[in-house]
Every structure is written in C-alpha cells, then in structure tokens.
C-alpha cells in the first residue's frame, strides 16, 4: 500500500538494478560495529582455522602475506540499508588458506570470530570457490582499523555483517550456530537479494 | 509473542517540534516490549511501488501510554526524513517493524551507566534516561550530551529537570559552537570527570555521528572502561 504523499527519489535505472531491495547507494563508507574499535597490531597477530576448540592451522601476519593473493572488486550491501558500489579488496581466499594447510573443510558451517569477540555464522559453500577471503587491503591500502584492519573476512555476496571485522579465526562447526547478530534476530543466511535481514524474511 | 520482524501498519498519533530540525512523532505502541536504546525500521512506499527504508531510534520507554516515540531529524536531501518533516500528518499510516538492535539497556542490567550522545544521537539515550527514572531509579546514570547550539538540544527541558530532580542522574551538556565552551569537544578530562562522579561504568553507550562515536569510544577505552562494557551506535551514511 502506498504511503500518502510519498514519491521518494528512486535512483536511475542503472543504479536501481544494482541495488538489492530496500537498499540505497552511498559514496561514504559508514562504520557499523557493536563497540569500540579494538587495537589489533600485526605484531603477534595470528589467524587460526579451528574445529571446535582444536586448532587446525594458523598463520602469523608474515606467513599470511606469503600466501597467494587475490583481488575482488564489486558492490557491498549493509543490512542498515546502505550499499557501496565498486569496492576493491585484496587478500587470501579461503580456498587458498585451506590448500596451504592441506585441508578440506571438515564440516559444513563456520563461525567467524573477531578480536572484539564478535561472531557470525556462514555456510562453508559460501566461503569456497573464490567467494570469500581474508582481506588485508582496501583500494590498495592497508584496511583502516575502523573498517576491520588489519584483516577482515570478506563475504561480499551476503549482507556485510557476515564479513567479520578484525577476524582472528574461522571455527568449523557441525551445525549452523548463530553468531552475535543472528542470536539477536538477524537472519541466519543474510542474502541481500532476497532481503534476508531478519528471522523470517 | 508477536513477531517483531513482521512489517505492520502503524498510525501517526501526534507530531511535536523538538528543535528546528527535529520533530517528535508518536505512533501506536509496538505489539511487544522493546528495550531502551533499540530502534525500529520504517518503510515508505511510492505509488509506483518504489520503497525506501530507514532505521530510527525509539525515544520512549516500553509501555509508554502515549505510544511509541521517534524523533526524526531532517537531513539535507533526506529522502525519508524530508517526508516526515514536510509531508507526514497525524493519521497517516506508516509501515514499521522492530524493535531491533543490541544497543539496549534495561533495569536488570544495573549500573553505573555512562551515556555519551552527540546531536540527535541522544535519542536512544533519552529512552535509557526515561527507563531508569521509571524502573531503576537507584541506578547511577550520567549523560554527556554534545550539541552544537542551545537551540539544537533535544529534550533540554526534560533532561535539565531530571538532572535537577532525580537523585543519581546527572547531565553534562556541552555546546560546541556557542557560549563559553565553543570550540571544545568531548575530551579525556570530561570523561575522567564523569567517571569520578559516577564511578567506573558497568555499561557505557555512545551514539552519534561516525567520527564522534569513534573518538569517544577510544577515549573511554583510554580512561579504563572495559571495551566489552561499551556499546556504540553510529548514524549517518
């Protein structure tokens, strides 16, 4: 049902077709996080793949930098309604991490964990096939702390809360375990094109 | 319990100017309870089906008999805030869902509670101040509120009166563009003074523009507040 007196300002067709439902385009890069920006140094930094509590493989900052690097460019969509077009990231794909560790994904789901104790859940197939990376560069520069640097998960085909900032580990889980926002009503999967913002969407 | 994420139609029951750029809108109450600090999503639909959604913080306490209160600031070129400022009238039907968000405090969470708001970022903190007065008057709470000018202070009369009349609630108002504090920003001294007065906060909530929230959250960490005790909400973008 139309809202009385509202016409809005729909964007031009070429923008509109790149915007998932309910999103608007911004040129800024807004910051969304639950608390202060943690101070994460690359000195002593480690990134770990775990299964439950058990570490499967881990990398220091320098070891991570030595792995094959991949660039990804495209649009990102935040559940708070902004989308940003043509973002450019570089990092190490999850495929390359697993290959470097000589591992196959041991379970079907992952909880990504951040240095701020943030967690978010993602099905493993959404992390493989070049769909996700541990990103360390944004537009060719080290990622700013406010945007998750030194390293963040990047899963750009899902709402951006799935792209955990200050990522420190991926924990493989047997079941699809809800993360921080998912426990608070955000959608378990979070596909922007199906507008899966909240439980039941 | 009602599904908070189902879109439903609600009606504007009252509109009151709060400042030159902010209006208070009263709607029908939500189907279920919310926690002070949470927000709702609002959706507007054009005749051709085009929709725009935005999130707005709730200013009222759960169960307020006057209904759900949103305070909406008119933004430059605001597609949705411009509609609320210029077009919306009492009786209009608006689609809404929620409550949403982890930026929230309730009586059982206890205190001391340190609130820091910039501009219209005070709105969810106002809900916490009201909640404390109603359901947790023993909890120490201090609000540092940074606004540009006196005329832009939201709920100034209410906050001043509460600070004067309610034991355990204090207001520190900082005007950054006029008067004796023009040019000053919230700094470490202000945070330290607040913590001296309040005690080390068990919970701290910071809301405002992006740079404001980043700066204040860093100051709180520097002042010894546990990062996990600090919740942030940023608007803009």
């Amino acid at each position: 049902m139309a809202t009385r007196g509202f016409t809005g300002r729909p964007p031009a067709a070429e923008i509109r077709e790149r915007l998932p439902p309910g999103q608007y385009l911004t040129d800024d890069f807004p910051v969304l996080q639950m608390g202060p920006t943690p101070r994460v140094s690359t000195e002593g930094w480690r990134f770990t793949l775990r299964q439950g509590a058990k570490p499967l493989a881990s990398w220091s900052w320098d070891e991570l930098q030595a792995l094959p690097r991949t660039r990804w460019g495209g649009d990102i969509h935040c559940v708070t309604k902004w989308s940003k077009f043509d973002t450019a990231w570089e990092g190490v794909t999850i495929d390359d991490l697993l290959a470097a560790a000589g591992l196959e994904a041991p379970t079907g789901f992952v909880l990504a964990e951040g240095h701020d104790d943030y967690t978010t859940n993602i099905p493993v197939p959404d992390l493989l096939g070049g769909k996700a990376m541990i990103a360390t560069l944004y537009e060719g520069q080290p990622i700013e702390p406010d945007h998750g640097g030194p390293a963040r998960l990047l899963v750009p085909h899902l709402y951006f809360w799935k792209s955990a900032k200050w990522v420190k580990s991926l924990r493989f889980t047997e079941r699809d375990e809800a993360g921080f926002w998912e426990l608070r009503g955000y959608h378990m999967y979070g596909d922007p094109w199906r507008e899966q913002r909240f439980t039941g969407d | 319990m009602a599904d908070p994420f189902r879109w439903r139609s609600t009606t504007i029951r009252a509109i009151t100017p709060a400042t030159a750029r902010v209006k208070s809108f009263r709607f029908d109450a939500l189907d279920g309870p919310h926690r002070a600090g949470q927000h709702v999503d609002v959706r507007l639909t054009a005749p051709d089906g085009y929709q725009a959604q935005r999130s707005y913080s709730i200013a009222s306490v759960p169960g307020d008999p006057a209904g759900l209160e949103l305070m909406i600031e008119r933004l430059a070129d605001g597609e949705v805030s411009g509609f609320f400022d210029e077009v919306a009238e009492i009786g209009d039907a608006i689609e809404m869902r929620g409550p949403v968000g982890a930026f929230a405090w309730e009586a059982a969470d206890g205190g001391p509670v340190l609130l820091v708001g910039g501009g219209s970022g005070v709105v969810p903190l106002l809900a916490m101040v009201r909640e404390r007065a109603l359901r947790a008057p023993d909890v120490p709470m201090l609000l540092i509120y940074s606004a540009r000018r006196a005329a832009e202070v939201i709920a100034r009369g209410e906050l001043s009166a509460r600070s004067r009349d309610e034991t355990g609630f204090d207001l520190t108002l900082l005007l950054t563009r006029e008067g004796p504090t023009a040019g000053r920003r919230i700094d470490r001294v202000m945070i330290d003074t607040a913590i001296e007065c309040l005690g080390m906060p068990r919970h701290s909530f910071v809301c405002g523009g992006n740079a404001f929230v980043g700066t204040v959250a860093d100051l709180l960490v520097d002042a010894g507040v546990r990062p996990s005790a600090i919740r942030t909400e940023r608007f803009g973008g």
Side-chain angles (χ1 to χ4, degrees):
Chain A
M1 191 195 72
T3 311
R4 185 196 63 81
F6 178 71
T7 49
R9 286 197 304 273
E14 67 270 20
I15 292 174
R16 204 166 166 174
E17 69 189 20
R18 285 170 72 179
L19 280 177
Q23 297 292 109
Y24 63 88
L25 179 62
T26 181
D27 295 326
D28 299 334
F29 196 165
V31 175
L32 271 300
Q33 59 201 46
M34 61 182 187
T37 297
R39 293 152 198 197
V40 183
S41 160
T42 54
E43 258 175 70
W45 183 92
R46 287 204 84 75
F47 174 77
T48 307
L49 298 178
R50 299 177 192 283
Q51 183 172 7
K54 187 181 81 176
L56 301 173
S58 93
W59 293 266
S60 70
W61 183 258
D62 290 342
E63 288 164 348
L64 186 85
Q65 301 298 314
L67 297 180
R69 301 189 64 79
T70 300
R71 289 182 182 172
W72 181 86
D75 306 342
I76 57 175
H77 311 292
C78 178
V79 71
T80 62
K81 329 271 182 334
W82 57 266
S83 291
K84 186 172 175 61
F85 288 172
D86 302 317
T87 64
W89 304 84
E90 184 179 318
V92 180
T93 64
I94 310 305
D95 310 84
D96 284 334
L97 279 173
L98 287 168
L103 290 172
E104 301 261 331
T107 68
F109 301 94
V110 153
L111 262 183
E113 301 172 317
H115 280 274
D116 55 344
D117 295 328
Y118 177 79
T119 55
T120 187
N121 52 307
I122 305 124
V124 165
D126 289 274
L127 297 174
L128 301 181
K131 288 187 192 159
M133 66 165 71
I134 304 301
T136 57
L137 296 180
Y138 174 70
E139 294 188 336
Q141 301 295 319
I143 300 173
E144 300 275 338
D146 274 353
H147 293 302
R152 75 178 297 162
L153 183 63
L154 180 72
V155 197
H157 66 288
L158 301 179
Y159 279 125
F160 222 47
W161 91 78
K162 297 287 185 180
S163 293
K165 294 179 175 184
W166 316 294
V167 69
K168 65 177 181 185
S169 61
L170 296 182
R171 181 151 62 87
F172 290 94
T173 59
E174 298 291 337
R175 294 178 303 108
D176 192 10
E177 292 181 26
F180 179 85
W181 284 119
E182 293 83 4
L183 282 169
R184 290 160 178 81
Y186 279 35
H187 198 277
M188 287 293 273
Y189 185 65
D191 179 353
W193 294 98
R194 287 184 276 167
E195 205 176 1
Q196 294 173 335
R197 299 180 196 276
F198 302 117
T199 305
D201 280 352
Chain B
M1 196 183 112
D3 174 7
F5 302 123
R6 184 177 58 82
W7 287 106
R8 56 207 180 280
S9 183
T10 179
T11 303
I12 300 178
R13 298 299 179 193
I15 305 176
T16 318
T19 72
R21 285 168 54 211
V22 179
K23 284 181 181 169
S24 158
F25 293 83
R26 289 278 180 173
F27 297 85
D28 300 327
L30 294 171
D31 294 341
H34 72 275
R35 292 191 295 148
Q38 289 188 297
H39 64 268
V40 290
D41 281 1
V42 165
R43 180 166 76 177
L44 307 181
T45 304
D48 67 355
Y50 169 76
Q51 293 183 324
Q53 294 184 29
R54 295 293 185 275
S55 299
Y56 292 110
S57 294
I58 302 168
S60 50
V61 294
D64 187 333
L68 181 91
E69 182 179 31
L70 305 182
M71 289 182 149
I72 300 181
E73 179 176 27
R74 161 115 213 200
L75 304 177
D77 295 328
E79 182 185 25
V80 174
S81 65
F83 165 84
F84 276 102
D85 185 45
E86 289 177 6
V87 180
E89 291 175 1
I90 292 170
D92 280 349
I94 302 289
E95 277 192 300
M96 186 181 287
R97 66 175 177 173
V100 188
F103 187 86
W105 179 84
E106 58 195 329
D109 295 331
V113 184
L114 177 58
L115 311 176
V116 189
S120 60
V122 77
V123 172
L125 309 180
L126 179 60
M128 296 181 190
V129 170
R130 291 170 168 178
E131 178 73 357
R132 174 202 165 276
L134 191 66
R135 298 192 175 95
D138 296 336
V139 169
M141 184 178 274
L142 190 150
L143 168 64
I144 304 176
Y145 179 8
S146 170
R148 289 183 295 192
R149 297 178 178 83
E152 295 176 36
V153 175
I154 294 169
R156 180 169 200 179
E158 175 184 342
L159 288 169
S160 302
R162 289 187 185 281
S163 177
R164 186 186 64 231
D165 300 339
E166 294 175 4
T167 306
F169 172 67
D170 286 298
L171 169 70
T172 301
L173 183 61
L174 175 68
L175 300 179
T176 60
R177 299 277 176 89
E178 69 180 14
T181 53
R184 190 171 173 194
R185 298 290 181 271
I186 291 177
D187 54 23
R188 179 64 191 277
V189 173
M190 285 187 74
I191 299 291
D192 285 345
T193 306
I195 292 174
E196 251 175 59
C197 165
L198 180 72
M200 187 53 78
R202 184 194 288 185
H203 304 287
S204 187
F205 296 89
V206 187
C207 185
N210 195 24
F212 175 89
V213 170
T215 303
V216 171
D218 284 347
L219 286 170
L220 291 173
V221 173
D222 289 342
V225 183
R226 277 181 304 114
S228 62
I230 304 168
R231 283 277 184 268
T232 57
E233 186 107 300
R234 303 164 189 247
F235 55 70

